Amino acid sequence: QCHRIVFNWNNSADKITAHLKLLENACDEIKAPESSEKLERILSIVLTVGNFLNAGTHRGRAQAISLDSLLKLSTVKGTGSKMTLMHFIVQEILSKFKEAVMFYDNWKCVHPASEISLKQIDADVKVLGVDLGLIQNEITNGIPKIDDEALAKHLLSRLNTFNLMAADKISGLQELLKNVTGTVVSTLEL
């Protein structure tokens, strides 16, 4: 089991790091002034349409849009029409605010980052921590079932070296995860 952990641990940690960096870069792309102004314009139009449609109700004075409400745009249809609210809003934006449509022109990381789950990354970091704990347990309890003392010392030395590197790396991963989670949350609050 230790061999499997040591063999796979760095690859898993590197993959997690790459995913976190991709999420961070995607957030930077969304927050970039050239993108965020156009996106803000589009969301403002969506909010205005939503407030108009909900006039006279408690939802008619909304000041922000939830991700849930954005998803509903493609399901709300006009009476006797196959056109959804999303279609209508896109047509209006294309006819009146064409420059705003290209808000995503510089987004290279956003689409690939949309496939990444922060919950899964958090779970993967925890698994790496558990695996590191197993290695630390082996170091503390000694390597069982090895009669060759020189080999046991060598393996113990390799595990100690791995443990020091991995403990440092997991701390960095946990800090990066915390920072990227904060960045994602702040990006979603735009």
Side-chain angles (χ1 to χ4, degrees), residues 95-153:
S95 68
K96 296 179 179 142
F97 308 101
K98 202 171 210 162
E99 77 288 344
V101 175
M102 306 312 278
F103 66 91
Y104 57 86
D105 271 355
N106 297 322
W107 290 3
K108 306 292 182 250
C109 298
V110 173
H111 180 69
S114 70
E115 304 292 321
I116 297 171
S117 163
L118 270 175
K119 284 183 181 179
Q120 184 60 53
I121 290 176
D122 185 51
D124 291 345
V125 169
K126 287 178 180 163
V127 166
L128 289 179
V130 167
D131 286 348
L132 184 57
L134 293 172
I135 296 293
Q136 290 167 342
N137 189 41
E138 286 296 314
I139 292 168
T140 303
N141 296 330
I143 310 253
K145 301 179 186 174
I146 297 180
D147 296 331
D148 185 341
E149 190 175 324
L151 179 59
K153 282 184 179 182

Side-chain angles (χ1 to χ4, degrees), residues 10-66:
N10 270 323
N11 288 337
S12 297
D14 291 346
K15 183 178 176 184
I16 291 168
T17 300
H19 282 165
L20 288 170
K21 297 273 187 203
L22 183 64
L23 282 170
E24 195 170 45
N25 291 338
C27 289
D28 289 343
E29 289 174 354
I30 291 168
K31 290 179 177 180
E34 63 272 7
S35 296
S36 65
E37 290 169 6
K38 293 174 184 177
L39 181 57
E40 193 174 313
R41 180 75 177 133
I42 288 174
L43 293 176
S44 172
I45 292 166
V46 173
L47 180 63
T48 301
V49 170
N51 281 338
F52 176 79
L53 291 175
N54 291 313
T57 71
H58 69 283
R59 292 185 294 180
R61 292 189 184 144
Q63 295 185 12
I65 301 171
S66 69

Side-chain angles (χ1 to χ4, degrees), residues 64-107:
I65 301 171
S66 69
L67 291 177
D68 253 4
S69 62
L70 287 176
L71 294 172
K72 290 178 186 175
L73 293 177
S74 63
T75 60
V76 175
K77 292 186 179 181
T79 55
S81 172
K82 292 183 180 183
M83 183 182 282
T84 66
L85 186 54
M86 175 76 79
H87 288 114
F88 172 77
I89 291 171
V90 168
Q91 278 183 347
E92 290 301 304
I93 290 171
L94 284 172
S95 68
K96 296 179 179 142
F97 308 101
K98 202 171 210 162
E99 77 288 344
V101 175
M102 306 312 278
F103 66 91
Y104 57 86
D105 271 355
N106 297 322
W107 290 3

